Amino acid sequence: MKEKGGEYIWFDGKFVKWEDAKVPVYTHAMHYGTAVFEGIRGYGAGGNIFVFRLKEHMERLHRSAGVYSFSLKHTVKELADATVELLQKNKMKESVYIRPLTFVGMHGIDLNVTTNSPTHTIIIAFPFAKYFKEGGISACVSSWRRINDQTTPPLAKAAGNYLNSILATQESRRNGYDESIMLDIAGNVSEASGENLFLVRNKKIYTPFFADSALEGITRDTAMTIARSMGYTVTERPIPRAELYMADEIFLTGTAAEIIPVTSVDGHAVGTGKEGPVSKSVRQAYEKVVTGGVKEHMDWLTPVW
């Protein structure tokens, strides 16, 4: 998204025009990456937009801010209500991507960020469709290791964390792959550059746990809930690199990526080299859930109109 997605941005409790949403070049977050954020999708369906798991995303924003002692001046409900009002004010009726971000402002150049440091929160929304090509993607195991809880907490969705992901993405694209898979400091599979990873063997689903430096993904949790409701066994456990080459199926989950199959890793075909039946069934169920097609999960959706 290289152009504005709507006329207005929510900025510290007010709606301001895109061109008027400005911050000083002295902003602490610009120099040190002191920001936490969320990625949220709103799905257009039946003349409405359904924002997916809005409350859970804003709760995670608060948790991430707490890790770094950022003061987040707005409650979960205030942020959720502001998101709906922003979409209404921008007259959005199609599928959108929503980006709430809390950042440290004019703190100075020192690193002693505290709850007294000035912070700001913005919410941006813009039209958004598919992140990856449909049908499946290729991936490589990155030479860059995933950040570790001993150095930079992966469970906090902090802006600075993604410099690690940028290096991995650049490496994968230079080498002709669509995405990278990152290992943790112990050499076990952690996640992709911006998505959680699931592996299927003998129709059983496995995914790395948080101790493997994986993000506490909301789409990850959704996929696990859906898969279990369909009768699949889902286990969180360490996954060694070699198991990627033995998998029947691999799929990734994330707000932007949604659920996407990985059809090859390091040039090795995954299973048949096409989307497998387990991945397909979970993906199709997810697509129904996010567009309001499953009554049992309507509580995950916040209608805009």
Side-chain angles (χ1 to χ4, degrees), residues 29-58:
M30 290 180 63
H31 296 261
Y32 298 112
T34 43
V36 294
F37 71 96
E38 281 298 316
I40 309 171
R41 269 190 182 264
Y43 288 89
N48 207 336
I49 293 178
F50 297 103
V51 184
F52 187 61
R53 300 192 73 170
L54 177 57
K55 178 175 177 285
E56 290 93 330
H57 278 286
M58 295 308 186

PDB file of all heavy atoms in Angstrom, residues 29-58:
ATOM      1  N   ALA A  29      10.415   6.758  18.335  1.00  0.00           N
ATOM      2  CA  ALA A  29      10.175   5.517  17.590  1.00  0.00           C
ATOM      3  C   ALA A  29      10.889   5.502  16.247  1.00  0.00           C
ATOM      4  O   ALA A  29      11.272   4.431  15.749  1.00  0.00           O
ATOM      5  CB  ALA A  29       8.677   5.322  17.385  1.00  0.00           C
ATOM      6  N   MET A  30      11.089   6.655  15.638  1.00  0.00           N
ATOM      7  CA  MET A  30      11.784   6.708  14.361  1.00  0.00           C
ATOM      8  C   MET A  30      13.268   6.378  14.514  1.00  0.00           C
ATOM      9  O   MET A  30      13.906   5.866  13.597  1.00  0.00           O
ATOM     10  CB  MET A  30      11.636   8.099  13.731  1.00  0.00           C
ATOM     11  CG  MET A  30      10.238   8.414  13.250  1.00  0.00           C
ATOM     12  SD  MET A  30      10.137  10.060  12.513  1.00  0.00           S
ATOM     13  CE  MET A  30      11.237   9.876  11.106  1.00  0.00           C
ATOM     14  N   HIS A  31      13.810   6.659  15.687  1.00  0.00           N
ATOM     15  CA  HIS A  31      15.242   6.456  15.921  1.00  0.00           C
ATOM     16  C   HIS A  31      15.559   5.098  16.535  1.00  0.00           C
ATOM     17  O   HIS A  31      16.622   4.533  16.279  1.00  0.00           O
ATOM     18  CB  HIS A  31      15.769   7.567  16.835  1.00  0.00           C
ATOM     19  CG  HIS A  31      15.683   8.927  16.244  1.00  0.00           C
ATOM     20  ND1 HIS A  31      16.746   9.572  15.638  1.00  0.00           N
ATOM     21  CD2 HIS A  31      14.629   9.779  16.123  1.00  0.00           C
ATOM     22  CE1 HIS A  31      16.372  10.750  15.196  1.00  0.00           C
ATOM     23  NE2 HIS A  31      15.078  10.906  15.466  1.00  0.00           N
ATOM     24  N   TYR A  32      14.622   4.564  17.335  1.00  0.00           N
ATOM     25  CA  TYR A  32      14.917   3.355  18.094  1.00  0.00           C
ATOM     26  C   TYR A  32      13.904   2.226  17.902  1.00  0.00           C
ATOM     27  O   TYR A  32      14.041   1.175  18.534  1.00  0.00           O
ATOM     28  CB  TYR A  32      15.010   3.691  19.591  1.00  0.00           C
ATOM     29  CG  TYR A  32      16.119   4.664  19.915  1.00  0.00           C
ATOM     30  CD1 TYR A  32      15.820   5.953  20.345  1.00  0.00           C
ATOM     31  CD2 TYR A  32      17.462   4.309  19.785  1.00  0.00           C
ATOM     32  CE1 TYR A  32      16.834   6.861  20.644  1.00  0.00           C
ATOM     33  CE2 TYR A  32      18.474   5.202  20.080  1.00  0.00           C
ATOM     34  CZ  TYR A  32      18.162   6.479  20.505  1.00  0.00           C
ATOM     35  OH  TYR A  32      19.168   7.371  20.795  1.00  0.00           O
ATOM     36  N   GLY A  33      12.901   2.425  17.077  1.00  0.00           N
ATOM     37  CA  GLY A  33      11.917   1.369  16.853  1.00  0.00           C
ATOM     38  C   GLY A  33      10.993   1.123  18.025  1.00  0.00           C
ATOM     39  O   GLY A  33      10.426   0.025  18.155  1.00  0.00           O
ATOM     40  N   THR A  34      10.824   2.135  18.888  1.00  0.00           N
ATOM     41  CA  THR A  34      10.011   1.971  20.089  1.00  0.00           C
ATOM     42  C   THR A  34       8.526   2.116  19.749  1.00  0.00           C
ATOM     43  O   THR A  34       7.918   3.167  19.972  1.00  0.00           O
ATOM     44  CB  THR A  34      10.427   2.994  21.163  1.00  0.00           C
ATOM     45  OG1 THR A  34      10.621   4.283  20.542  1.00  0.00           O
ATOM     46  CG2 THR A  34      11.708   2.571  21.837  1.00  0.00           C
ATOM     47  N   ALA A  35       7.975   1.063  19.204  1.00  0.00           N
ATOM     48  CA  ALA A  35       6.564   1.037  18.816  1.00  0.00           C
ATOM     49  C   ALA A  35       6.060  -0.388  18.885  1.00  0.00           C
ATOM     50  O   ALA A  35       6.821  -1.350  18.704  1.00  0.00           O
ATOM     51  CB  ALA A  35       6.382   1.594  17.404  1.00  0.00           C
ATOM     52  N   VAL A  36       4.777  -0.536  19.156  1.00  0.00           N
ATOM     53  CA  VAL A  36       4.108  -1.837  19.093  1.00  0.00           C
ATOM     54  C   VAL A  36       2.894  -1.675  18.190  1.00  0.00           C
ATOM     55  O   VAL A  36       2.336  -0.581  18.072  1.00  0.00           O
ATOM     56  CB  VAL A  36       3.695  -2.348  20.493  1.00  0.00           C
ATOM     57  CG1 VAL A  36       4.921  -2.632  21.342  1.00  0.00           C
ATOM     58  CG2 VAL A  36       2.781  -1.347  21.200  1.00  0.00           C
ATOM     59  N   PHE A  37       2.502  -2.752  17.548  1.00  0.00           N
ATOM     60  CA  PHE A  37       1.442  -2.610  16.555  1.00  0.00           C
ATOM     61  C   PHE A  37       0.631  -3.884  16.430  1.00  0.00           C
ATOM     62  O   PHE A  37       0.973  -4.930  16.978  1.00  0.00           O
ATOM     63  CB  PHE A  37       2.031  -2.215  15.201  1.00  0.00           C
ATOM     64  CG  PHE A  37       2.813  -3.318  14.519  1.00  0.00           C
ATOM     65  CD1 PHE A  37       2.212  -4.129  13.573  1.00  0.00           C
ATOM     66  CD2 PHE A  37       4.149  -3.537  14.814  1.00  0.00           C
ATOM     67  CE1 PHE A  37       2.919  -5.140  12.934  1.00  0.00           C
ATOM     68  CE2 PHE A  37       4.868  -4.540  14.186  1.00  0.00           C
ATOM     69  CZ  PHE A  37       4.245  -5.340  13.251  1.00  0.00           C
ATOM     70  N   GLU A  38      -0.431  -3.787  15.650  1.00  0.00           N
ATOM     71  CA  GLU A  38      -1.277  -4.922  15.301  1.00  0.00           C
ATOM     72  C   GLU A  38      -1.583  -4.880  13.806  1.00  0.00           C
ATOM     73  O   GLU A  38      -1.507  -3.827  13.169  1.00  0.00           O
ATOM     74  CB  GLU A  38      -2.594  -4.885  16.076  1.00  0.00           C
ATOM     75  CG  GLU A  38      -2.486  -5.374  17.508  1.00  0.00           C
ATOM     76  CD  GLU A  38      -2.065  -6.827  17.599  1.00  0.00           C
ATOM     77  OE1 GLU A  38      -2.604  -7.661  16.827  1.00  0.00           O
ATOM     78  OE2 GLU A  38      -1.212  -7.147  18.436  1.00  0.00           O
ATOM     79  N   GLY A  39      -1.920  -6.036  13.273  1.00  0.00           N
ATOM     80  CA  GLY A  39      -2.480  -6.143  11.931  1.00  0.00           C
ATOM     81  C   GLY A  39      -3.835  -6.819  12.052  1.00  0.00           C
ATOM     82  O   GLY A  39      -3.944  -7.888  12.663  1.00  0.00           O
ATOM     83  N   ILE A  40      -4.854  -6.191  11.523  1.00  0.00           N
ATOM     84  CA  ILE A  40      -6.224  -6.698  11.656  1.00  0.00           C
ATOM     85  C   ILE A  40      -6.870  -6.665  10.288  1.00  0.00           C
ATOM     86  O   ILE A  40      -6.651  -5.735   9.500  1.00  0.00           O
ATOM     87  CB  ILE A  40      -7.057  -5.823  12.630  1.00  0.00           C
ATOM     88  CG1 ILE A  40      -6.300  -5.620  13.951  1.00  0.00           C
ATOM     89  CG2 ILE A  40      -8.426  -6.446  12.890  1.00  0.00           C
ATOM     90  CD1 ILE A  40      -6.940  -4.601  14.868  1.00  0.00           C
ATOM     91  N   ARG A  41      -7.679  -7.659   9.993  1.00  0.00           N
ATOM     92  CA  ARG A  41      -8.415  -7.674   8.728  1.00  0.00           C
ATOM     93  C   ARG A  41      -9.902  -7.416   8.953  1.00  0.00           C
ATOM     94  O   ARG A  41     -10.475  -7.860   9.948  1.00  0.00           O
ATOM     95  CB  ARG A  41      -8.262  -9.016   8.008  1.00  0.00           C
ATOM     96  CG  ARG A  41      -7.079  -9.081   7.038  1.00  0.00           C
ATOM     97  CD  ARG A  41      -7.187 -10.347   6.232  1.00  0.00           C
ATOM     98  NE  ARG A  41      -6.100 -10.567   5.304  1.00  0.00           N
ATOM     99  CZ  ARG A  41      -6.133 -10.245   4.017  1.00  0.00           C
ATOM    100  NH1 ARG A  41      -7.198  -9.655   3.515  1.00  0.00           N
ATOM    101  NH2 ARG A  41      -5.104 -10.530   3.230  1.00  0.00           N
ATOM    102  N   GLY A  42     -10.473  -6.716   8.000  1.00  0.00           N
ATOM    103  CA  GLY A  42     -11.914  -6.602   7.915  1.00  0.00           C
ATOM    104  C   GLY A  42     -12.346  -7.193   6.588  1.00  0.00           C
ATOM    105  O   GLY A  42     -11.796  -6.845   5.541  1.00  0.00           O
ATOM    106  N   TYR A  43     -13.314  -8.102   6.616  1.00  0.00           N
ATOM    107  CA  TYR A  43     -13.720  -8.817   5.406  1.00  0.00           C
ATOM    108  C   TYR A  43     -15.058  -8.304   4.888  1.00  0.00           C
ATOM    109  O   TYR A  43     -16.045  -8.263   5.629  1.00  0.00           O
ATOM    110  CB  TYR A  43     -13.813 -10.315   5.683  1.00  0.00           C
ATOM    111  CG  TYR A  43     -12.468 -10.969   5.864  1.00  0.00           C
ATOM    112  CD1 TYR A  43     -11.873 -11.044   7.133  1.00  0.00           C
ATOM    113  CD2 TYR A  43     -11.770 -11.498   4.791  1.00  0.00           C
ATOM    114  CE1 TYR A  43     -10.637 -11.630   7.306  1.00  0.00           C
ATOM    115  CE2 TYR A  43     -10.522 -12.085   4.952  1.00  0.00           C
ATOM    116  CZ  TYR A  43      -9.963 -12.154   6.211  1.00  0.00           C
ATOM    117  OH  TYR A  43      -8.725 -12.730   6.381  1.00  0.00           O
ATOM    118  N   GLY A  44     -15.080  -7.912   3.627  1.00  0.00           N
ATOM    119  CA  GLY A  44     -16.320  -7.491   3.001  1.00  0.00           C
ATOM    120  C   GLY A  44     -17.169  -8.692   2.637  1.00  0.00           C
ATOM    121  O   GLY A  44     -16.700  -9.628   1.986  1.00  0.00           O
ATOM    122  N   ALA A  45     -18.428  -8.671   3.088  1.00  0.00           N
ATOM    123  CA  ALA A  45     -19.349  -9.775   2.788  1.00  0.00           C
ATOM    124  C   ALA A  45     -20.777  -9.294   2.982  1.00  0.00           C
ATOM    125  O   ALA A  45     -21.094  -8.662   3.994  1.00  0.00           O
ATOM    126  CB  ALA A  45     -19.075 -10.974   3.695  1.00  0.00           C
ATOM    127  N   GLY A  46     -21.632  -9.583   2.008  1.00  0.00           N
ATOM    128  CA  GLY A  46     -23.048  -9.268   2.118  1.00  0.00           C
ATOM    129  C   GLY A  46     -23.339  -7.796   2.330  1.00  0.00           C
ATOM    130  O   GLY A  46     -24.260  -7.449   3.069  1.00  0.00           O
ATOM    131  N   GLY A  47     -22.538  -6.917   1.732  1.00  0.00           N
ATOM    132  CA  GLY A  47     -22.740  -5.483   1.877  1.00  0.00           C
ATOM    133  C   GLY A  47     -22.225  -4.906   3.182  1.00  0.00           C
ATOM    134  O   GLY A  47     -22.459  -3.729   3.474  1.00  0.00           O
ATOM    135  N   ASN A  48     -21.528  -5.724   3.976  1.00  0.00           N
ATOM    136  CA  ASN A  48     -21.000  -5.274   5.256  1.00  0.00           C
ATOM    137  C   ASN A  48     -19.508  -5.555   5.313  1.00  0.00           C
ATOM    138  O   ASN A  48     -18.946  -6.196   4.417  1.00  0.00           O
ATOM    139  CB  ASN A  48     -21.715  -5.996   6.404  1.00  0.00           C
ATOM    140  CG  ASN A  48     -21.742  -5.188   7.688  1.00  0.00           C
ATOM    141  OD1 ASN A  48     -20.899  -4.325   7.908  1.00  0.00           O
ATOM    142  ND2 ASN A  48     -22.725  -5.468   8.525  1.00  0.00           N
ATOM    143  N   ILE A  49     -18.863  -5.060   6.339  1.00  0.00           N
ATOM    144  CA  ILE A  49     -17.489  -5.439   6.644  1.00  0.00           C
ATOM    145  C   ILE A  49     -17.478  -6.063   8.026  1.00  0.00           C
ATOM    146  O   ILE A  49     -18.030  -5.496   8.982  1.00  0.00           O
ATOM    147  CB  ILE A  49     -16.535  -4.226   6.621  1.00  0.00           C
ATOM    148  CG1 ILE A  49     -16.403  -3.658   5.212  1.00  0.00           C
ATOM    149  CG2 ILE A  49     -15.151  -4.622   7.139  1.00  0.00           C
ATOM    150  CD1 ILE A  49     -15.507  -2.436   5.135  1.00  0.00           C
ATOM    151  N   PHE A  50     -16.850  -7.235   8.134  1.00  0.00           N
ATOM    152  CA  PHE A  50     -16.712  -7.909   9.421  1.00  0.00           C
ATOM    153  C   PHE A  50     -15.247  -7.837   9.847  1.00  0.00           C
ATOM    154  O   PHE A  50     -14.383  -8.407   9.187  1.00  0.00           O
ATOM    155  CB  PHE A  50     -17.167  -9.363   9.327  1.00  0.00           C
ATOM    156  CG  PHE A  50     -18.623  -9.527   8.989  1.00  0.00           C
ATOM    157  CD1 PHE A  50     -19.029  -9.883   7.712  1.00  0.00           C
ATOM    158  CD2 PHE A  50     -19.595  -9.298   9.953  1.00  0.00           C
ATOM    159  CE1 PHE A  50     -20.372 -10.031   7.405  1.00  0.00           C
ATOM    160  CE2 PHE A  50     -20.941  -9.446   9.664  1.00  0.00           C
ATOM    161  CZ  PHE A  50     -21.332  -9.803   8.387  1.00  0.00           C
ATOM    162  N   VAL A  51     -14.981  -7.129  10.935  1.00  0.00           N
ATOM    163  CA  VAL A  51     -13.620  -7.033  11.454  1.00  0.00           C
ATOM    164  C   VAL A  51     -13.349  -8.266  12.298  1.00  0.00           C
ATOM    165  O   VAL A  51     -14.109  -8.596  13.215  1.00  0.00           O
ATOM    166  CB  VAL A  51     -13.433  -5.746  12.287  1.00  0.00           C
ATOM    167  CG1 VAL A  51     -11.974  -5.628  12.731  1.00  0.00           C
ATOM    168  CG2 VAL A  51     -13.836  -4.519  11.473  1.00  0.00           C
ATOM    169  N   PHE A  52     -12.258  -8.951  11.987  1.00  0.00           N
ATOM    170  CA  PHE A  52     -12.001 -10.258  12.575  1.00  0.00           C
ATOM    171  C   PHE A  52     -11.213 -10.155  13.877  1.00  0.00           C
ATOM    172  O   PHE A  52     -10.120  -9.621  13.920  1.00  0.00           O
ATOM    173  CB  PHE A  52     -11.252 -11.147  11.580  1.00  0.00           C
ATOM    174  CG  PHE A  52     -11.086 -12.563  12.048  1.00  0.00           C
ATOM    175  CD1 PHE A  52     -12.195 -13.364  12.299  1.00  0.00           C
ATOM    176  CD2 PHE A  52      -9.830 -13.099  12.266  1.00  0.00           C
ATOM    177  CE1 PHE A  52     -12.058 -14.665  12.749  1.00  0.00           C
ATOM    178  CE2 PHE A  52      -9.679 -14.404  12.692  1.00  0.00           C
ATOM    179  CZ  PHE A  52     -10.799 -15.185  12.943  1.00  0.00           C
ATOM    180  N   ARG A  53     -11.813 -10.657  14.933  1.00  0.00           N
ATOM    181  CA  ARG A  53     -11.215 -10.762  16.269  1.00  0.00           C
ATOM    182  C   ARG A  53     -10.601  -9.426  16.707  1.00  0.00           C
ATOM    183  O   ARG A  53      -9.457  -9.352  17.178  1.00  0.00           O
ATOM    184  CB  ARG A  53     -10.213 -11.919  16.320  1.00  0.00           C
ATOM    185  CG  ARG A  53     -10.874 -13.260  16.006  1.00  0.00           C
ATOM    186  CD  ARG A  53     -10.016 -14.463  16.307  1.00  0.00           C
ATOM    187  NE  ARG A  53      -9.899 -14.683  17.757  1.00  0.00           N
ATOM    188  CZ  ARG A  53      -9.360 -15.773  18.304  1.00  0.00           C
ATOM    189  NH1 ARG A  53      -8.917 -16.756  17.516  1.00  0.00           N
ATOM    190  NH2 ARG A  53      -9.265 -15.911  19.607  1.00  0.00           N
ATOM    191  N   LEU A  54     -11.389  -8.399  16.565  1.00  0.00           N
ATOM    192  CA  LEU A  54     -10.957  -7.041  16.871  1.00  0.00           C
ATOM    193  C   LEU A  54     -10.539  -6.891  18.334  1.00  0.00           C
ATOM    194  O   LEU A  54      -9.484  -6.315  18.644  1.00  0.00           O
ATOM    195  CB  LEU A  54     -12.089  -6.063  16.519  1.00  0.00           C
ATOM    196  CG  LEU A  54     -11.875  -4.583  16.820  1.00  0.00           C
ATOM    197  CD1 LEU A  54     -10.625  -4.056  16.131  1.00  0.00           C
ATOM    198  CD2 LEU A  54     -13.111  -3.786  16.376  1.00  0.00           C
ATOM    199  N   LYS A  55     -11.352  -7.383  19.234  1.00  0.00           N
ATOM    200  CA  LYS A  55     -11.058  -7.265  20.669  1.00  0.00           C
ATOM    201  C   LYS A  55      -9.742  -7.945  21.016  1.00  0.00           C
ATOM    202  O   LYS A  55      -8.911  -7.392  21.744  1.00  0.00           O
ATOM    203  CB  LYS A  55     -12.202  -7.872  21.475  1.00  0.00           C
ATOM    204  CG  LYS A  55     -12.004  -7.870  22.985  1.00  0.00           C
ATOM    205  CD  LYS A  55     -13.268  -8.375  23.674  1.00  0.00           C
ATOM    206  CE  LYS A  55     -13.088  -8.455  25.206  1.00  0.00           C
ATOM    207  NZ  LYS A  55     -12.259  -9.622  25.567  1.00  0.00           N
ATOM    208  N   GLU A  56      -9.529  -9.165  20.496  1.00  0.00           N
ATOM    209  CA  GLU A  56      -8.300  -9.906  20.800  1.00  0.00           C
ATOM    210  C   GLU A  56      -7.058  -9.183  20.300  1.00  0.00           C
ATOM    211  O   GLU A  56      -6.006  -9.193  20.947  1.00  0.00           O
ATOM    212  CB  GLU A  56      -8.369 -11.315  20.208  1.00  0.00           C
ATOM    213  CG  GLU A  56      -9.363 -12.232  20.899  1.00  0.00           C
ATOM    214  CD  GLU A  56     -10.730 -12.220  20.227  1.00  0.00           C
ATOM    215  OE1 GLU A  56     -11.110 -11.179  19.651  1.00  0.00           O
ATOM    216  OE2 GLU A  56     -11.420 -13.256  20.274  1.00  0.00           O
ATOM    217  N   HIS A  57      -7.181  -8.558  19.143  1.00  0.00           N
ATOM    218  CA  HIS A  57      -6.038  -7.809  18.610  1.00  0.00           C
ATOM    219  C   HIS A  57      -5.705  -6.615  19.501  1.00  0.00           C
ATOM    220  O   HIS A  57      -4.524  -6.344  19.782  1.00  0.00           O
ATOM    221  CB  HIS A  57      -6.337  -7.334  17.191  1.00  0.00           C
ATOM    222  CG  HIS A  57      -6.105  -8.386  16.148  1.00  0.00           C
ATOM    223  ND1 HIS A  57      -4.843  -8.774  15.748  1.00  0.00           N
ATOM    224  CD2 HIS A  57      -6.978  -9.135  15.422  1.00  0.00           C
ATOM    225  CE1 HIS A  57      -4.943  -9.704  14.828  1.00  0.00           C
ATOM    226  NE2 HIS A  57      -6.226  -9.947  14.609  1.00  0.00           N
ATOM    227  N   MET A  58      -6.710  -5.891  19.937  1.00  0.00           N
ATOM    228  CA  MET A  58      -6.452  -4.725  20.787  1.00  0.00           C
ATOM    229  C   MET A  58      -5.950  -5.145  22.165  1.00  0.00           C
ATOM    230  O   MET A  58      -5.149  -4.436  22.788  1.00  0.00           O
ATOM    231  CB  MET A  58      -7.708  -3.871  20.902  1.00  0.00           C
ATOM    232  CG  MET A  58      -8.141  -3.236  19.588  1.00  0.00           C
ATOM    233  SD  MET A  58      -6.785  -2.330  18.754  1.00  0.00           S
ATOM    234  CE  MET A  58      -7.688  -1.588  17.381  1.00  0.00           C
TER     235      MET A  58
END
